[in-house]
Amino acid sequence: MNLGVNSMSVTTSSASWKSDAVSDQFPAGLRVLVVDDDPTCLRILEKMLRNCRYEVTTCGRAEVALKLLRDNKDGFDVVISDVHMPDMDGFKLLERVGLEMDLPVIMMSADDSKSVVMKGVTHGACDYLIKPVRMEALKNIWQHVVRKKKNEWKEKDAEQSGSVEEGDRQQKPTDDADYSSSANEGNWRNSRKRKEEEDDGDDKDDSSTLKKPRVVWSVELHQQFVTAVNQLGIDKAVPKKILELMNVPGLTRENVASHLQKYRLYLRRLSGQPQNGLGNSFLGPQDSGFGSISSLNGLDLQAYASSGQIPAQSLASIQAAALGRVTNKSGIVDQRNIFSFDNPNMRFLDGQQHHSNGKQVNLLHGIPTNMDSKQLAALHQSGQPFGNTLMNVHSQSGQSNSLLTQMVQPQSRTQMLNEVGGNPVLNFPSSVGQPGLSQAIPGSVFSRYGMDNNNVRPLTYTSLSQPTSVVEFSRSQGMELSGNSIPLTSNSGIPSYTSKGTTLQEEVNSEIKGSRGFLPNFDAFNELSQNRTDTWDLQNVGSTFETPQHSNIQSRLDVAPSVLVQPAFTSDHRNGHIRTTSVNKAAFSAATSLGNGTNFGQQLTPSHADSALRIKTERLPDMGFQNSLFPDQLGQDDLMSTLLKQQQDGLAPVENEFGFDEYQLDNLPV
Amino acid sequence: MHRQLANMKQTLFDQGYLDEQFIQLEELQDDANPNFVEEVVTLYYRDSARLIQNIEQALEKSPLDFSKLECLMHQFKGSSSSIGAKRVKSECTQFKEHCRVGNADGCKRTFQQLKKEYATLRKKVEVYFQFARQIGPVEKACRSK
């Protein structure tokens, strides 16, 4: 081949770890590190890779390879390693590289037995080549690099857009640049890595391998984190300082930032506990999906608990939340609390609640596509509080939500996200049955975490059962939405949402308007609610939906708003459900056109309870409804309860109006 | 001359001494590395000598540590397959099978066979390379065969 001729001369020096030159003629210049104890194979691979115009570095020993990788962070794009090596098992190396550097690793072996190949897969290998390796097989290894980078970026976005409050989050973009070469920044995807991480923990300490790659937040590491956070004070805890305090080599600011996001959500949830004492009730597993999450959450919770930060109760609630079981109102409360923990923004209803609400909202976001329609539908159908539906949706999609569980590896999130995209809605109906407004706190929490994977963190914490929570929910949603919406719709962040709290309204308004004619209701909504804090939630919710969803969920929005509205209507006698319904309808149709639906819907759903209520009031005015916007926001509880009731009763009719079911199905952009 | 070289190679293939992988190696050869294949094969023999020795030592132990033997042989097999040493490779596979079932005699017997093939191949490729060097770059033209 002539290919290699020129490049060979260029890449003769195996130690060329320059990370430049990759861009223009990609995949030429791809920096590959080959590890194999067999010199013959090594030589052949080297030649083959050079012929592909890659920059090759060879290594006969795994330890040496690790050192090379550690010393040259960002010095390589991909690692190819043999399985059987004398000094270290190839899989172990695979894990380490994945954990520490988060580079794509390709395994090779003359052994082609299924078990070994499976082992490679489970350990996270991007690919498995059977020896003797052919040129063709090597030519395409660049795809793994691209894929990985793509996922990293997505995660980064998710995280960045995720938490509004995290100021440092904004810094992430800059950090992203660092990661461009490879390795996700802290994907906590791998739960299994987590275990290994514990083992590797010691190793990690000194070698700064934790560049950005998946950081497994082991118990010890988390403890350190929590200690640092406590030292700084939760409000003052910024990733940079935490990082310094922790003094863990290899840990990046990004890792800490994302972890902090999650932690904050978690705390919020915990702090929300006292409010309704729901905490424990969260565990009421509504959604099966959370089962897994709960376990994960449990881990985190425990970790948290161990740190003494989180009261046992919180843990429980968190777990519950994680489970997405939230269906219980009480559960929601806890969550909410947690959320509101450090969310100054969420002041809407009660400091805490907001948070939770917001969180939930986020959840919705996470599930932009499916959730919207489904959620809405589910809501109606089940007549359950919106929150529940959200939860369901979330839970389903985000089974692995364990938002709380930071340990929940990013993978789970991604999975959830994926699920969300796939069928968030589907899950929804089933879960809808939840009684309380189970606001999708989990969701929101989830979203807060900046869904790494896909923004959509299914966690269906929608346990915002309480009306208040709903309100908050919407608020938080709004807020969260911004954060989440980013991931969802790959919007880059809902800028407007960051200003939770009062600003929400404004944002909402603006968003609503901005969101392409999002829903007329919402606009009206905003206006109406200007005064009401309650409405905010709705608005926010709405707005959040709109904005983030613009991009994606246009269709969803339609669904969502209408859906949300509907339930609200039914439950709210006071204002006359009808209004809401009409609002819904309007919204519905509007939403449809918007196509933002997905996000919208999602967001809406969590706050259904709240938003629904609110929406009703708000929307009504515009819609020309009777306007009996709730003169005062009934206490959220009231609203919620009415809503719930109504939902149950009135949902049916409402739904029919919109033909939701069908709508959802159609709209699900999935 | 080229044809002669080509024939030599073809014979090696026909007799099963070499396989596809060898061709892959040849394809890697280029102007910057005109003797790439020879280099690799030489490298193989040098390194595999060590492996052979290890296996021999392990075979002398009693009782035999089959898993260790299998592991050693796995390495050897990987190496051999990477240069396209077909016959050697099949002996390796057989050896591993004996290890798997714990057939000590089978292992020893197969190992002897393996060594024979190993040595034969070495001689043959040495001749081949020598000849190829004499012919020079022209050899490339015949490679396609």
Side-chain angles (χ1 to χ4, degrees):
Chain A
M1 311 183 189
N2 303 324
L3 266 192
V5 181
N6 302 326
S7 55
M8 285 216 329
S9 43
V10 172
T11 58
T12 327
S13 65
S14 49
S16 48
W17 300 311
K18 321 169 237 206
S19 45
D20 45 335
V22 186
S23 29
D24 350 344
Q25 323 154 348
F26 190 81
L30 196 72
R31 295 155 306 160
V32 186
L33 174 67
V34 187
V35 189
D36 195 337
D37 61 319
D38 183 348
T40 313
C41 287
L42 206 57
R43 179 86 180 87
I44 295 173
L45 281 168
E46 184 186 19
K47 186 69 173 70
M48 282 184 177
L49 291 165
R50 294 246 165 87
N51 275 21
C52 294
R53 294 198 290 163
Y54 295 151
E55 273 187 26
V56 186
T57 306
T58 59
C59 211
R61 299 201 40 239
E63 288 297 344
V64 178
L66 272 176
K67 184 169 188 315
L68 274 176
L69 287 165
R70 288 175 187 153
D71 291 346
N72 299 279
K73 304 193 176 178
D74 285 339
F76 297 99
D77 296 313
V78 62
V79 178
I80 302 181
S81 170
D82 186 36
V83 167
H84 299 279
M85 288 190 289
D87 62 336
M88 186 194 286
D89 179 37
F91 293 117
K92 188 127 208 296
L93 175 66
L94 160 63
E95 287 167 5
R96 295 281 281 278
V97 173
L99 280 171
E100 295 175 12
M101 293 117 212
D102 201 24
L103 285 173
V105 181
I106 296 171
M107 300 305 291
M108 298 186 287
S109 182
D111 191 352
D112 61 349
S113 59
K114 242 197 284 182
S115 59
V116 182
V117 179
M118 175 62 91
K119 207 171 165 198
V121 172
T122 54
H123 281 69
C126 287
D127 204 352
Y128 191 100
L129 307 175
I130 307 290
K131 285 186 180 174
V133 180
R134 298 174 62 90
M135 185 71 183
E136 298 86 75
L138 291 178
K139 257 200 251 175
N140 290 330
I141 62 174
W142 60 267
Q143 62 173 296
H144 302 296
V145 178
V146 174
R147 195 176 295 123
K148 199 154 188 113
K149 280 198 202 165
K150 185 162 93 86
N151 290 339
E152 283 172 28
W153 285 107
K154 249 198 273 177
E155 284 190 12
K156 279 203 186 153
D157 279 348
E159 291 201 11
Q160 287 169 22
S161 54
S163 77
V164 180
E165 23 181 282
E166 303 278 346
D168 38 35
R169 217 177 304 174
Q170 270 127 43
Q171 299 166 26
K172 280 194 193 159
T174 46
D175 297 323
D176 288 353
D178 303 337
Y179 296 59
S180 54
S181 56
S182 58
N184 296 339
E185 117 183 349
N187 314 320
W188 292 295
R189 280 189 219 167
N190 310 316
S191 32
R192 91 179 124 75
K193 290 242 173 223
R194 176 163 33 128
K195 296 178 208 133
E196 282 141 10
E197 181 69 12
E198 323 251 335
D199 300 337
D200 296 344
D202 307 336
D203 309 324
K204 258 199 311 191
D205 296 341
D206 40 9
S207 34
S208 65
T209 47
L210 300 170
K211 175 161 76 139
K212 23 182 198 206
R214 313 177 203 167
V215 174
V216 168
W217 284 90
S218 62
V219 180
E220 304 88 48
L221 196 61
H222 179 71
Q223 283 292 355
Q224 274 180 284
F225 169 81
V226 174
T227 308
V229 169
N230 289 338
Q231 248 178 283
L232 295 167
I234 189 69
D235 289 327
K236 292 213 184 64
V238 286
K240 204 170 181 98
K241 294 206 188 121
I242 297 173
L243 187 64
E244 286 164 17
L245 275 179
M246 280 177 77
N247 194 24
V248 171
L251 195 60
T252 65
R253 200 200 65 77
E254 280 67 44
N255 297 147
V256 175
S258 347
H259 193 70
L260 182 63
Q261 278 176 42
K262 297 186 186 141
Y263 183 66
R264 290 218 179 126
L265 286 172
Y266 172 80
L267 290 179
R268 280 205 210 104
R269 220 173 303 134
L270 289 179
S271 60
Q273 234 183 36
Q275 291 190 355
N276 309 322
L278 294 178
N280 304 320
S281 43
F282 270 112
L283 296 174
Q286 298 227 351
D287 299 314
S288 50
F290 294 103
S292 51
I293 303 183
S294 46
S295 49
L296 287 175
N297 293 329
L299 286 174
D300 286 348
L301 292 175
Q302 282 162 25
Y304 279 118
S306 55
S307 61
Q309 299 269 337
I310 303 170
Q313 264 185 320
S314 307
L315 273 180
S317 48
I318 293 182
Q319 286 176 332
L323 294 178
R325 298 298 171 80
V326 185
T327 51
N328 306 322
K329 296 207 184 162
S330 52
I332 298 180
V333 176
D334 293 331
Q335 291 183 345
R336 277 186 289 161
N337 294 332
I338 296 174
F339 293 143
S340 52
F341 180 87
D342 35 14
N343 247 341
N345 301 324
M346 316 254 223
R347 293 198 209 104
F348 285 102
L349 296 187
D350 17 291
Q352 304 188 338
Q353 295 186 333
H354 301 317
H355 294 300
S356 44
N357 289 329
K359 304 273 167 75
Q360 296 194 348
V361 175
N362 295 328
L363 284 178
L364 291 180
H365 294 294
I367 318 190
T369 44
N370 303 320
M371 295 246 328
D372 295 335
S373 46
K374 286 279 169 105
Q375 292 182 355
L376 294 175
L379 284 177
H380 300 299
Q381 291 161 9
S382 51
Q384 310 221 343
F386 291 107
N388 292 331
T389 37
L390 289 181
M391 294 237 337
N392 297 325
V393 175
H394 294 298
S395 51
Q396 315 234 338
S397 42
Q399 312 226 333
S400 44
N401 278 340
S402 49
L403 279 181
L404 296 180
T405 46
Q406 300 192 358
M407 308 227 216
V408 177
Q409 306 311 332
Q411 284 177 346
S412 55
R413 266 195 283 220
T414 19
Q415 289 165 9
M416 296 199 295
L417 291 176
N418 296 331
E419 292 182 66
V420 174
N423 324 291
V425 180
L426 299 179
N427 296 327
F428 208 79
S430 51
S431 46
V432 175
Q434 303 181 7
L437 284 184
S438 49
Q439 294 179 352
I441 297 187
S444 42
V445 174
F446 188 71
S447 47
R448 292 249 356 184
Y449 276 99
M451 343 236 222
D452 338 325
N453 305 316
N454 297 308
N455 312 326
V456 176
R457 303 245 196 133
L459 278 188
T460 48
Y461 284 117
T462 52
S463 50
L464 287 183
S465 52
Q466 311 293 339
T468 46
S469 52
V470 171
V471 174
E472 295 177 337
F473 186 74
S474 47
R475 257 218 329 174
S476 45
Q477 288 184 346
M479 298 199 275
E480 303 279 348
L481 290 178
S482 35
N484 300 320
S485 39
I486 296 185
L488 293 179
T489 57
S490 59
N491 289 319
S492 33
I494 314 185
S496 50
Y497 292 112
T498 42
S499 53
K500 306 200 194 141
T502 53
T503 39
L504 281 176
Q505 278 189 347
E506 291 157 4
E507 294 175 350
V508 170
N509 294 327
S510 52
E511 300 212 342
I512 297 181
K513 297 177 190 156
S515 56
R516 330 208 226 149
F518 179 72
L519 285 177
N521 303 327
F522 287 96
D523 288 320
F525 186 105
N526 292 328
E527 296 159 11
L528 293 174
S529 55
Q530 291 295 337
N531 329 328
R532 326 160 183 227
T533 45
D534 305 336
T535 49
W536 269 8
D537 298 334
L538 287 177
Q539 290 181 349
N540 295 327
V541 174
S543 45
T544 40
F545 294 128
E546 295 174 340
T547 29
Q549 316 209 339
H550 290 305
S551 44
N552 316 330
I553 327 192
Q554 294 282 328
S555 51
R556 290 299 158 123
L557 285 176
D558 298 335
V559 178
S562 38
V563 174
L564 290 177
V565 180
Q566 292 185 356
F569 289 128
T570 50
S571 49
D572 201 348
H573 324 276
R574 301 194 224 179
N575 302 322
H577 326 299
I578 304 177
R579 288 190 300 176
T580 22
T581 22
S582 36
V583 174
N584 290 331
K585 286 194 200 163
F588 192 78
S589 45
T592 342
S593 53
L594 286 178
N596 287 326
T598 34
N599 289 332
F600 189 77
Q602 295 188 352
Q603 301 180 353
L604 292 178
T605 33
S607 53
H608 286 307
D610 286 334
S611 47
L613 291 176
R614 311 278 161 120
I615 295 177
K616 291 190 282 194
T617 41
E618 301 348 314
R619 299 239 192 134
L620 295 177
D622 287 344
M623 309 288 292
F625 286 90
Q626 301 142 40
N627 237 349
S628 23
L629 291 177
F630 306 101
D632 327 299
Q633 268 278 242
L634 308 175
Q636 299 209 320
D637 297 328
D638 296 337
L639 287 178
M640 293 309 292
S641 47
T642 43
L643 196 72
L644 292 176
K645 284 190 246 154
Q646 309 207 347
Q647 285 177 0
Q648 297 170 10
D649 310 330
L651 277 183
V654 175
E655 293 176 359
N656 297 332
E657 293 174 355
F658 295 131
F660 238 54
D661 302 335
E662 298 137 36
Y663 180 80
Q664 296 167 355
L665 294 175
D666 298 340
N667 287 338
L668 294 176
V670 178
Chain B
M1 284 267 267
H2 308 312
R3 204 166 334 122
Q4 225 176 325
L5 188 72
N7 286 343
M8 274 178 79
K9 186 161 61 153
Q10 193 56 44
T11 311
L12 285 173
F13 275 94
D14 293 342
Q15 292 176 345
Y17 284 102
L18 294 174
D19 64 17
E20 242 295 300
Q21 186 64 15
F22 193 79
I23 298 179
Q24 287 264 317
L25 295 186
E26 289 195 315
E27 283 177 359
L28 290 173
Q29 199 155 279
D30 49 31
D31 293 338
N33 293 59
N35 301 311
F36 178 72
V37 189
E38 188 177 357
E39 282 168 21
V40 174
V41 174
T42 308
L43 185 60
Y44 162 74
Y45 273 101
R46 197 161 12 124
D47 183 63
S48 55
R50 177 180 55 86
L51 282 170
I52 298 251
Q53 203 176 6
N54 289 347
I55 297 176
E56 245 166 359
Q57 280 170 4
L59 278 173
E60 276 159 24
K61 295 215 171 88
S62 182
L64 291 184
D65 182 350
F66 288 112
S67 73
K68 175 156 188 190
L69 278 171
E70 194 171 353
C71 180
L72 286 169
M73 185 49 73
H74 180 77
Q75 290 179 46
F76 185 75
K77 180 182 174 190
S79 227
S80 307
S81 66
S82 66
I83 64 155
K86 196 171 176 184
R87 283 203 190 179
V88 174
K89 183 177 165 185
S90 69
E91 296 295 336
C92 291
T93 307
Q94 203 160 11
F95 184 94
K96 280 179 88 181
E97 183 56 27
H98 288 313
C99 285
R100 200 180 64 77
V101 300
N103 184 350
D105 280 342
C107 284
K108 290 178 181 160
R109 260 185 295 116
T110 305
F111 188 64
Q112 295 308 316
Q113 190 68 18
L114 184 149
K115 278 197 287 183
K116 257 197 258 166
E117 292 290 348
Y118 176 77
T120 308
L121 178 67
R122 182 184 210 151
K123 284 195 217 100
K124 287 190 185 273
V125 293
E126 267 174 14
V127 171
Y128 176 79
F129 287 131
Q130 239 168 12
F131 196 65
R133 258 183 275 123
Q134 281 169 22
I135 296 181
V138 186
E139 161 189 332
K140 279 193 199 163
C142 306
R143 198 178 302 163
S144 54
K145 299 206 192 118

